[in-house]
Amino acid sequence: MELERKNGEWIKSGSCDLGLRRIKVRKESVDEEEEPLSPMARMFQQPESNVYIIAMLGFKSPIDPHFLKANLVDTFLKHPRFSNVQVADEKNGGEVKWVKTKVDLDNHVKIPMVDQHMASPDQFVEDYIANLTNTHISTSIPMWDVHILNLKTCDAESTLVIRVHHSLGDGTSLMSFLISCCRKTSEPDALPSFPAAKKSRPDAGWYWKCWSVLLLAWNTLVDIWRCVATTYFLKDTQTPLKAPSRAVAFTSRRIVRRTFCVDDVKLVKSATNTTVNDVMLAITQAGLSRYLNRKYGKGTGDGESWENNLPNSIRLTATLFINLRSSPGIYDIAKMVKKHSQTEWGNKIGYVLYPFKIALKDNPLDYIRDAKATMDRKKATLEAQFRLFMAKVFVRFYPTKLATFPLTTMWFSNVAGPQEEISLFGNQVTFIAPSLYGQPVALTIHIISYEKKISMVLSVDDNIIPDPYQLCDDFEEALKLIKKTVVAGGLIKK
């Protein structure tokens, strides 16, 4: 259901048994400046991409609900997106705008009753989140909520589940905002620190500049053609990982994670002169190849013998999201909520189509070489900016398939996290695990680093991928094989 303005009043409309029903909105909210939703935010409202961000945070101590609510007033409610509703303005052709409203925290803070002596608390938390992905937040209130699970699991004394509709902001915005509410455990008054942005290359000669411009133009044209082709006729191979249709956007998700030692990833990164993102993409490619080889080998007796059971020329593409901000970083709450802030809140993202080369390789380092070559190619294109442009044009004026997400096999995102231990409202965080539901793919992978750990968080439709922990095992084994090859080959830099 949505809110519409008729005859100067806000009313709620939709498929409700009561038909049109009037609701109360603070009068002063109507008089305030109303900001329209961005094109990318509107894309995340389409029926087949009605996406929610869901973030799990583990803590070293139980959560005090009253203390949490008090802190939400001074943080979340200070930000306009968390105290605004989305309203369709009839006078402007139904344009959806943000309108300030009064927030009742009881509608946003959920505290389920839990049995502290249950047999499997970790399974309960996983099932609770899976059930949560079957539900949506009413558009009559700001579209976010938090769920307090005061239950001891294997890696936390309590878990906080934060759910936010993607139209409020992208992963970078929401992660920046969440971390701005945190402080270093070692310095309670200091904001967390993040990996420093890479310095730009020194100025090159005119010949190299000309070549770079030509290469950028050519790559962009090729990628634009591939975007259109993928949308209309160049489909991914129907593998055991791929959803058969966009209807998967309406199914529930199971969210699981696997944590690696960040030092292992950095060891491979340094030895191969690549980036952390390159290494994680290589691990993903190798893990997907192992998983699919097992799936295709079932029934032939070769599922575990590592004979090559993969069909030739598997086309498996990921929608890889790119942060397009000019000023990344973490800011204080006061700066983030300020109008015209440099924090660039919202959905400032584009995406590229990333082809995974599914194959069993004799040398595990070939996965690293593939990932680096593909990412270097994707860095020399304006494909992500083009997709954002298409969203701005077509979502606003004429919705078409070009303004929706292409039906790839999976989504992939990599977000940097804090480099040291942090506390949220005084409670030390043990893990951070962001994910999504409502997307038109059966598999989504989020990579996030936190302190000495780096996690792969999987959101799967378990009707299509019934064994997500096996997939996690394959990712873990892929890292071990790549690291072993690096060490055995003497590639470690002293």
Side-chain angles (χ1 to χ4, degrees), residues 256-452:
V256 302
R257 58 190 171 88
R258 184 61 52 91
T259 300
F260 310 106
C261 176
V262 74
D263 290 338
D264 289 344
V265 176
K266 287 184 176 180
L267 181 147
V268 175
K269 162 188 168 291
S270 299
T272 56
N273 192 29
T274 55
T275 66
V276 169
N277 190 58
D278 292 339
V279 176
M280 296 312 297
L281 284 167
I283 292 170
T284 303
Q285 180 176 319
L288 294 175
S289 299
R290 290 175 60 87
Y291 180 84
L292 287 174
N293 187 65
R294 182 185 294 103
K295 287 293 184 180
Y296 284 114
K298 284 186 177 179
T300 66
D302 293 331
E304 298 294 338
S305 65
W306 297 113
E307 294 292 330
N308 193 340
N309 307 300
L310 295 170
N312 294 325
S313 304
I314 290 179
R315 177 180 168 82
L316 194 157
T317 310
T319 301
L320 192 154
F321 289 90
I322 305 293
N323 177 22
L324 297 179
R325 286 170 175 76
S326 58
S327 58
I330 302 302
Y331 300 85
D332 188 75
I333 290 286
K335 292 182 179 179
M336 296 192 76
V337 303
K338 188 177 179 181
K339 282 190 176 182
H340 309 298
S341 169
Q342 292 184 346
T343 56
E344 295 185 277
W345 181 273
N347 285 282
K348 306 285 185 179
I349 53 174
Y351 59 88
V352 299
L353 299 182
Y354 184 96
F356 281 108
K357 299 176 182 178
I358 301 302
L360 296 181
K361 302 200 181 270
D362 295 330
N363 183 354
L365 294 185
D366 286 342
Y367 293 113
I368 297 284
R369 297 183 184 102
D370 284 348
K372 175 175 172 51
T374 304
M375 276 310 300
D376 286 348
R377 163 69 174 73
K378 290 299 178 181
K379 290 173 184 175
T381 179
L382 297 177
E383 181 182 356
Q385 290 83 349
F386 168 75
R387 294 305 310 197
L388 183 59
F389 170 76
M390 297 302 288
K392 290 180 178 179
V393 172
F394 285 97
V395 171
R396 181 175 294 274
F397 299 109
Y398 184 67
T400 70
K401 281 187 177 181
L402 288 176
T404 61
F405 296 104
L407 189 56
T408 56
T409 298
M410 59 180 287
W411 285 9
F412 187 96
S413 176
N414 188 348
V415 179
Q419 292 182 294
E420 63 278 298
E421 286 188 343
I422 61 172
S423 297
L424 177 65
F425 307 146
N427 200 340
Q428 187 170 330
V429 175
T430 60
F431 71 84
I432 305 172
S435 194
L436 299 173
Y437 72 91
Q439 63 273 33
V441 291
L443 172 63
T444 298
I445 298 177
H446 279 83
I447 309 297
I448 185 165
S449 57
Y450 172 48
E451 199 202 359
K452 298 291 185 180

Side-chain angles (χ1 to χ4, degrees), residues 207-220:
Y207 177 82
W208 177 251
K209 287 182 179 179
C210 291
W211 170 248
S212 297
V213 170
L214 291 173
L215 186 64
L216 182 70
W218 171 253
N219 288 344
T220 301

